[in-house]
Amino acid sequence: MPSTTILKSALAALGVAQLAAGHTLFTNFYLDGVDQGNATCVRMPMVPNNATFPINNLLGNEMACGYNGEDGVAQVCPANAGSTITFEYRAIPDDSSAESIDISHKGPCAVYLKKVVSAINDTGVGDGWFKIWDDGYDETAGKWCTEKLRDNAGHFYVQLPSSLEGGYYLARPELLALHQADKVPSNPQFYVGCAQLFVNSTGTGKPTSTVSIPSYIQPMSPPVHFDIWTTPLALPYPLPGPAIANISTLSTSDSKDAKAQQQQLQQSEGLPPPSTILIAANWFGTELPPYTTLSGCYNASAACWAQARSCYAAAPPTGSFGCRIWEARCDAIQAQCQSAGAAADATLQGPPGYGRDLTPEPKTLSPSPSPSPMGVVLLGKGNVEGSEVDTGELSRSASAVWAKISGTVGASAPTGSDWSSAVSGPAAAAPSSSAAAAAGGSKVSLDGACGGNAGQTCQGSIMGNCCSAHGYCGSSGDYCGNGCQAGFGTCGNTASMNLNMARKHRARRARKHL
């Protein structure tokens, strides 16, 4: 039996489950190495069960920005001409530690831009798209672009043209998996999405030609019928879509139009409201009115919980960790109301930590991607630095949350009912961690912190039942394995097994959609 036949038979024997597990989704993008946040400024399917499914209809509108991609999101992220944009793909949208795409899903990558009047309201469908980067099969390395993506923890990056004119854009990463492109009929699988950008620039650069999406790739064209299992490959691989665009600029020496275009445009849409104190994906948590009375406190509590419900309702497949931060603030307000209600002469000053920014610190890539000539793929280690990651969401210590809310740097966070006394007055000091633990024992963690210093247990926490050696709640091996604090939650293989079972359950649910 020829080697190619054996390989195809072996792959078929792996079954549908492996193919389902190999699906992927564009979830995050970074500007000059700084993560803009889970799903922030990114259009994506909102149903977690099928968010990672591929696009098979090459002539459907979903080819532009993916499923549900015609609907814009509330936020537009500012970038500079010449900035390096990094795109992140995940096989499990809320787990950045999982593989980005299955090894069997081999194929090319590309990045397209489209200049639009409104990054929020433009559907992305139709003409105006131009390609700024692509990568197919690297004959020297013997790897497809998707294989490099796997090596790079799901990241690839490209530089925005430095001469690009300012304004609103849609940025569209594209992966094409060719593992079933040799079938009859052919089954090429596209994974695309769109990020909403405002490019700050005084440049005048425009593409000399554009294409329409869909229809830029025809179903019977050679790039989507390529057999990646043939040995040797029938190289060179014909990259799909147009060539990389030529960006043409106007000369200011003799053109009034060029001088007019060089006026710096200002972003006016997709900005957080001035009262925003928390950004969770594309949801904005706005500050509540100050109060001094008990009735004002309860009104603020009700308004806070109403915002929490809207946050959870808007949460994308990448998760709802930001909503949990907001929920912790609602707990603090509610505790203040309850404390004041028990004291007839209580004087209130709220909400606690009025006006303080609760948005988590952004993740960064290490080493940071460096600018490169347009069209050159940059693939390094792509490690993520910053807060700990649990199923793709940033975990925060109690002290960090408390510092945000109270403005008391270095203070230990109050726990459980201790919020009541800690936030009842404008200058209340946070109790020590040892005092909190002694007063009420181990309470269920609401903010992800655990262990003796926090005086909190992870058992029953929405963050996960395991307390890591570093004092954070979670459910992966990093939390449940070596150093896990058994006195403050579950340790051992149980949680990891539960996580793996959940992933397998997701794959099983996805099989029927293949």
Side-chain angles (χ1 to χ4, degrees):
M1 182 181 295
S3 59
T4 54
T5 304
I6 295 174
L7 179 57
K8 291 180 181 180
S9 299
L11 288 171
L14 293 177
V16 176
Q18 182 193 27
L19 298 179
H23 295 166
T24 190
L25 179 69
F26 163 46
T27 61
N28 295 50
F29 77 101
Y30 299 66
L31 293 173
D32 293 322
V34 179
D35 188 9
Q36 301 305 291
N38 285 335
T40 301
C41 301
V42 176
R43 301 181 183 185
M44 66 176 60
M46 293 300 290
V47 180
N49 288 353
N50 58 17
T52 63
F53 284 8
I55 297 168
N56 305 105
N57 181 10
L58 275 59
L59 300 180
N61 286 347
E62 61 270 20
M63 278 292 287
C65 290
Y67 296 113
N68 303 130
E70 295 178 58
D71 301 325
V73 294
Q75 193 165 186
V76 178
C77 290
N80 296 320
S83 288
T84 299
I85 302 183
T86 303
F87 301 92
E88 179 173 320
Y89 274 82
R90 299 177 184 173
I92 302 176
D94 64 349
D95 187 356
S96 61
S97 66
E99 63 180 12
S100 57
I101 190 170
D102 192 81
I103 189 62
S104 68
H105 288 39
K106 304 176 190 291
C109 316
V111 176
Y112 289 78
L113 296 178
K114 181 178 182 179
K115 179 81 182 294
V116 294
V117 175
S118 168
I120 295 176
N121 297 322
D122 195 288
T123 64
V125 177
D127 197 10
W129 291 99
F130 57 100
K131 184 190 288 186
I132 63 169
W133 173 82
D134 60 15
D135 187 41
Y137 183 77
D138 186 336
E139 296 186 42
T140 301
K143 289 186 176 183
W144 290 91
C145 180
T146 53
E147 294 178 282
K148 297 179 183 178
L149 181 78
R150 282 174 52 86
D151 294 343
N152 200 42
H155 302 116
F156 65 85
Y157 25 100
V158 65
Q159 185 181 8
L160 288 174
S162 58
S163 61
L164 194 66
E165 68 174 334
Y168 296 101
Y169 287 84
L170 297 178
R172 175 184 177 272
E174 172 187 285
L175 303 184
L176 169 57
L178 296 168
H179 57 291
Q180 293 186 349
D182 62 320
K183 302 294 187 292
V184 179
S186 178
N187 181 29
Q189 299 183 3
F190 281 87
Y191 299 91
V192 304
C194 283
Q196 299 178 172
L197 300 180
F198 179 82
V199 177
N200 293 297
S201 175
T202 57
T204 62
K206 296 182 179 181
T208 54
S209 62
T210 60
V211 296
S212 177
I213 303 180
S215 79
Y216 73 122
I217 298 174
Q218 292 299 310
M220 299 305 295
S221 61
V224 297
H225 281 270
F226 194 81
D227 186 350
I228 62 172
W229 308 117
T230 301
T231 304
L233 289 174
L235 299 173
Y237 169 71
L239 284 162
I244 294 174
N246 177 35
I247 306 299
S248 176
T249 58
L250 300 175
S251 172
T252 57
S253 60
D254 56 359
S255 172
K256 293 182 180 180
D257 290 339
K259 292 178 181 179
Q261 285 186 35
Q262 284 190 317
Q263 297 298 315
Q264 182 77 49
L265 300 176
Q266 299 296 320
Q267 181 176 354
S268 59
E269 71 168 8
L271 296 168
S275 57
T276 297
I277 59 173
L278 175 66
I279 298 176
N282 298 291
W283 177 86
F284 306 125
T286 55
E287 183 57 280
L288 304 162
Y291 55 80
T292 57
T293 65
L294 184 59
S295 61
C297 184
Y298 280 118
N299 288 339
S301 178
C304 186
W305 286 111
Q307 287 197 56
R309 288 190 293 272
S310 70
C311 182
Y312 281 111
T318 51
S320 56
F321 180 74
C323 304
R324 302 181 207 175
I325 296 176
W326 188 260
E327 185 176 344
R329 187 163 198 264
C330 297
D331 284 335
I333 295 173
Q334 184 173 319
Q336 188 183 44
C337 299
Q338 293 170 346
S339 176
D345 58 347
T347 299
L348 295 176
Q349 182 173 333
Y354 180 78
R356 301 196 183 281
D357 182 14
L358 302 179
T359 304
E361 295 298 320
K363 296 182 294 182
T364 58
L365 291 174
S366 177
S368 299
S370 56
S372 71
M374 184 174 58
V376 176
V377 63
L378 294 171
L379 290 167
K381 291 295 183 182
N383 296 321
V384 175
E385 290 188 342
S387 300
E388 290 194 36
V389 177
D390 178 20
T391 61
E393 297 175 345
L394 298 177
S395 295
R396 295 161 56 84
S397 68
S399 298
V401 174
W402 176 247
K404 285 281 190 180
I405 294 177
S406 69
T408 309
V409 179
S412 299
T415 60
S417 60
D418 293 324
W419 280 108
S420 303
S421 58
V423 301
S424 60
S432 68
S433 56
S434 57
S442 297
K443 303 174 179 66
V444 176
S445 176
L446 298 176
D447 53 22
C450 63
N453 289 334
Q456 299 184 140
T457 179
C458 297
Q459 194 67 45
S461 171
I462 59 175
M463 306 292 186
N465 290 328
C466 298
C467 181
S468 74
H470 301 290
Y472 296 99
C473 296
S475 56
S476 70
D478 292 337
Y479 298 86
C480 307
N482 292 336
C484 176
Q485 302 183 52
F488 297 91
T490 302
C491 292
N493 296 326
T494 303
S496 297
M497 290 172 61
N498 289 340
L499 181 60
N500 291 331
M501 289 176 63
R503 291 175 179 171
K504 291 177 181 178
H505 180 60
R506 292 180 190 175
R508 286 196 297 269
R509 288 185 300 178
R511 291 177 192 173
K512 63 182 180 179
H513 297 284
L514 289 176

